[in-house]
Coordinates of all heavy atoms in Angstrom, one line a residue:
Y170 N 11.4 53.0 165.3 CA 12.1 54.0 166.1 C 11.5 55.4 165.6 O 11.3 56.3 166.5 CB 13.6 54.0 165.9 CG 14.2 54.7 167.1 CD1 14.7 53.9 168.2 CD2 14.4 56.1 167.2 CE1 15.3 54.5 169.3 CE2 14.9 56.7 168.3 CZ 15.4 55.9 169.4 OH 15.9 56.5 170.5
V171 N 11.4 55.6 164.3 CA 10.8 56.9 163.8 C 9.4 57.1 164.4 O 9.2 58.2 164.9 CB 10.8 56.9 162.3 CG1 10.1 58.2 161.8 CG2 12.2 56.9 161.7
R172 N 8.6 56.1 164.4 CA 7.2 56.3 165.0 C 7.3 56.6 166.4 O 6.6 57.6 166.9 CB 6.4 55.0 164.8 CG 6.2 54.5 163.4 CD 5.4 53.2 163.4 NE 5.5 52.6 162.1 CZ 6.0 51.3 161.9 NH1 6.3 50.6 162.9 NH2 6.0 50.8 160.7
D173 N 8.1 55.9 167.2 CA 8.2 56.1 168.6 C 8.8 57.4 168.9 O 8.3 58.1 169.9 CB 9.1 55.0 169.2 CG 8.4 53.6 169.2 OD1 7.2 53.5 169.0 OD2 9.1 52.6 169.4
W174 N 9.7 57.9 168.2 CA 10.3 59.2 168.4 C 9.3 60.3 168.3 O 9.2 61.2 169.2 CB 11.5 59.4 167.5 CG 12.4 60.6 167.9 CD1 13.5 60.6 168.7 CD2 12.1 62.0 167.6 NE1 14.0 61.8 168.9 CE2 13.2 62.7 168.3 CE3 11.1 62.7 166.9 CZ2 13.2 64.1 168.2 CZ3 11.2 64.1 166.8 CH2 12.2 64.8 167.5
F175 N 8.5 60.3 167.3 CA 7.5 61.4 167.1 C 6.4 61.3 168.2 O 6.0 62.3 168.7 CB 6.9 61.3 165.7 CG 7.8 61.9 164.6 CD1 8.4 61.2 163.7 CD2 8.0 63.3 164.6 CE1 9.2 61.7 162.7 CE2 8.8 63.9 163.7 CZ 9.5 63.1 162.7
R176 N 6.0 60.1 168.5 CA 5.0 59.9 169.6 C 5.5 60.5 170.9 O 4.8 61.0 171.7 CB 4.6 58.5 169.7 CG 3.7 58.0 168.6 CD 3.6 56.5 168.6 NE 2.8 55.9 167.5 CZ 2.8 54.7 167.1 NH1 3.5 53.8 167.8 NH2 2.1 54.3 166.1
K177 N 6.8 60.2 171.1 CA 7.4 60.6 172.4 C 7.8 62.1 172.5 O 7.7 62.7 173.6 CB 8.7 59.8 172.7 CG 9.3 60.0 174.0 CD 10.5 59.0 174.2 CE 11.6 59.4 173.2 NZ 12.8 58.6 173.5
N178 N 8.1 62.7 171.4 CA 8.7 64.0 171.4 C 7.8 65.2 170.8 O 8.0 66.3 171.1 CB 10.0 64.0 170.7 CG 11.1 63.2 171.4 OD1 11.6 63.7 172.5 ND2 11.4 62.0 170.9
L179 N 6.9 64.8 169.8 CA 6.3 65.9 169.1 C 5.5 66.8 170.0 O 5.4 68.0 169.7 CB 5.4 65.3 168.0 CG 5.2 66.2 166.7 CD1 6.5 66.6 166.1 CD2 4.3 65.5 165.7
H180 N 4.8 66.3 171.0 CA 4.0 67.1 171.9 C 4.8 68.1 172.7 O 4.3 69.0 173.3 CB 3.1 66.2 172.7 CG 3.9 65.5 173.8 ND1 4.6 64.3 173.5 CD2 4.0 65.7 175.1 CE1 5.1 63.9 174.6 NE2 4.8 64.7 175.6
K181 N 6.1 67.8 172.8 CA 7.0 68.7 173.6 C 7.5 69.9 172.8 O 8.0 70.8 173.3 CB 8.2 67.9 174.1 CG 7.9 66.7 174.9 CD 9.1 65.9 175.3 CE 8.9 64.6 176.0 NZ 10.1 63.8 176.2
L182 N 7.5 69.7 171.4 CA 8.1 70.7 170.6 C 7.1 71.8 170.2 O 5.9 71.6 170.1 CB 8.6 70.1 169.3 CG 9.6 69.0 169.5 CD1 9.9 68.3 168.2 CD2 10.9 69.5 170.1
E183 N 7.6 73.1 170.0 CA 6.8 74.2 169.7 C 7.2 74.9 168.5 O 8.4 74.8 168.1 CB 6.8 75.2 170.9 CG 6.2 74.7 172.2 CD 6.2 75.7 173.3 OE1 6.7 76.9 173.0 OE2 5.6 75.5 174.4
F184 N 6.3 75.6 167.9 CA 6.6 76.5 166.8 C 5.7 77.7 166.9 O 4.5 77.6 167.1 CB 6.4 75.8 165.4 CG 6.6 76.7 164.2 CD1 7.8 77.2 163.9 CD2 5.5 77.1 163.5 CE1 8.0 78.0 162.8 CE2 5.7 78.0 162.4 CZ 6.9 78.4 162.1
D185 N 6.2 78.9 166.9 CA 5.5 80.1 167.0 C 4.7 80.2 168.3 O 3.6 80.6 168.4 CB 4.5 80.3 165.8 CG 5.1 81.2 164.7 OD1 6.1 81.8 165.0 OD2 4.5 81.2 163.6
G186 N 5.3 79.6 169.4 CA 4.7 79.6 170.7 C 3.6 78.6 170.9 O 2.9 78.7 172.0
R187 N 3.3 77.7 170.0 CA 2.3 76.7 170.1 C 2.9 75.3 170.0 O 3.8 75.1 169.2 CB 1.2 76.9 169.1 CG 0.4 78.2 169.3 CD -0.8 78.3 168.2 NE -1.7 77.1 168.3 CZ -2.6 76.9 167.4 NH1 -2.8 77.6 166.4 NH2 -3.4 75.8 167.6
K188 N 2.3 74.4 170.6 CA 2.7 73.0 170.5 C 2.5 72.5 169.1 O 1.4 72.8 168.5 CB 1.9 72.1 171.5 CG 2.0 72.5 173.0 CD 3.4 72.0 173.5 CE 3.4 72.2 175.0 NZ 4.8 71.8 175.6
I189 N 3.4 71.8 168.6 CA 3.3 71.3 167.2 C 2.2 70.4 167.0 O 1.5 70.4 166.0 CB 4.7 70.7 166.8 CG1 5.7 71.8 166.5 CG2 4.5 69.9 165.5 CD1 7.1 71.3 166.1
D190 N 1.9 69.5 168.0 CA 0.8 68.6 167.8 C -0.6 69.3 167.8 O -1.6 68.7 167.5 CB 0.8 67.5 168.8 CG 0.7 67.9 170.3 OD1 0.7 69.2 170.5 OD2 0.5 67.1 171.2
E191 N -0.6 70.6 168.2 CA -1.8 71.3 168.1 C -2.0 72.0 166.8 O -3.1 72.4 166.4 CB -1.9 72.4 169.2 CG -1.9 71.8 170.6 CD -1.8 72.8 171.7 OE1 -1.7 74.0 171.4 OE2 -1.9 72.5 172.9
L192 N -0.8 72.2 166.1 CA -0.8 72.9 164.8 C -1.2 72.0 163.6 O -1.8 72.5 162.6 CB 0.5 73.6 164.6 CG 0.9 74.7 165.5 CD1 2.4 75.1 165.3 CD2 0.1 76.0 165.2
L193 N -0.8 70.8 163.7 CA -1.0 69.8 162.6 C -2.4 69.2 162.7 O -3.0 69.0 163.7 CB 0.1 68.7 162.7 CG 1.5 69.2 162.6 CD1 2.5 68.0 162.6 CD2 1.8 70.2 161.4
T194 N -2.9 68.8 161.5 CA -4.2 68.1 161.4 C -4.0 66.7 161.9 O -2.9 66.2 161.9 CB -4.7 68.1 160.0 OG1 -3.8 67.3 159.2 CG2 -4.7 69.5 159.4
P195 N -5.1 66.0 162.2 CA -5.0 64.6 162.6 C -4.3 63.7 161.6 O -3.5 62.8 162.0 CB -6.5 64.1 162.7 CG -7.2 65.4 163.1 CD -6.5 66.5 162.3
Q196 N -4.5 63.9 160.3 CA -3.8 63.1 159.3 C -2.3 63.4 159.3 O -1.4 62.5 159.1 CB -4.4 63.2 157.9 CG -3.8 62.2 156.9 CD -4.5 62.2 155.6 OE1 -5.5 62.8 155.4 NE2 -3.9 61.5 154.6
M197 N -1.9 64.7 159.4 CA -0.5 65.0 159.4 C 0.2 64.4 160.6 O 1.3 63.8 160.5 CB -0.4 66.6 159.5 CG -0.8 67.3 158.2 SD -0.7 69.1 158.5 CE -1.5 69.7 157.0
L198 N -0.5 64.5 161.8 CA 0.1 63.8 162.9 C 0.2 62.3 162.8 O 1.2 61.7 163.1 CB -0.8 64.1 164.2 CG -0.7 65.5 164.8 CD1 -1.7 65.8 165.8 CD2 0.7 65.8 165.3
G199 N -0.9 61.7 162.2 CA -0.9 60.3 162.0 C 0.2 59.8 161.1 O 0.7 58.7 161.3
D200 N 0.5 60.6 160.1 CA 1.6 60.2 159.2 C 2.9 60.1 159.9 O 3.7 59.2 159.5 CB 1.8 61.3 158.1 CG 0.6 61.3 157.1 OD1 -0.3 60.4 157.2 OD2 0.6 62.2 156.2
L201 N 3.1 60.9 160.9 CA 4.4 60.8 161.7 C 4.3 59.7 162.8 O 5.2 59.0 163.0 CB 4.7 62.2 162.3 CG 4.9 63.3 161.3 CD1 4.8 64.7 162.1 CD2 6.1 63.2 160.6
Y202 N 3.1 59.6 163.4 CA 3.0 58.6 164.5 C 2.9 57.2 163.9 O 3.2 56.2 164.6 CB 1.7 58.9 165.3 CG 1.7 60.2 166.1 CD1 0.5 60.8 166.5 CD2 2.9 60.8 166.4 CE1 0.5 61.9 167.2 CE2 2.9 62.0 167.1 CZ 1.7 62.6 167.6 OH 1.7 63.7 168.3
H203 N 2.5 57.1 162.7 CA 2.4 55.7 162.0 C 3.3 55.6 160.8 O 3.0 54.9 159.9 CB 0.9 55.5 161.6 CG -0.1 55.5 162.7 ND1 -0.3 54.5 163.5 CD2 -0.9 56.5 163.1 CE1 -1.2 54.8 164.4 NE2 -1.6 56.0 164.1
F204 N 4.4 56.3 160.9 CA 5.4 56.4 159.8 C 5.6 55.0 159.2 O 5.7 54.0 159.9 CB 6.7 56.9 160.3 CG 7.9 56.7 159.3 CD1 8.0 57.6 158.2 CD2 8.7 55.7 159.5 CE1 9.0 57.4 157.3 CE2 9.8 55.5 158.5 CZ 9.9 56.4 157.5

Side-chain angles (χ1 to χ4, degrees):
Y170 204 97
V171 172
R172 296 177 197 126
D173 290 345
W174 193 93
F175 280 111
R176 288 170 183 161
K177 184 176 68 175
N178 293 287
L179 206 57
H180 70 281
K181 302 176 187 176
L182 301 174
E183 294 186 355
F184 176 70
D185 265 348
R187 293 184 61 189
K188 299 285 188 184
I189 286 181
D190 62 351
E191 296 173 358
L192 292 168
L193 303 183
T194 67
Q196 187 173 351
M197 292 175 187
L198 286 171
D200 289 355
L201 299 168
Y202 294 160
H203 300 282
F204 169 78

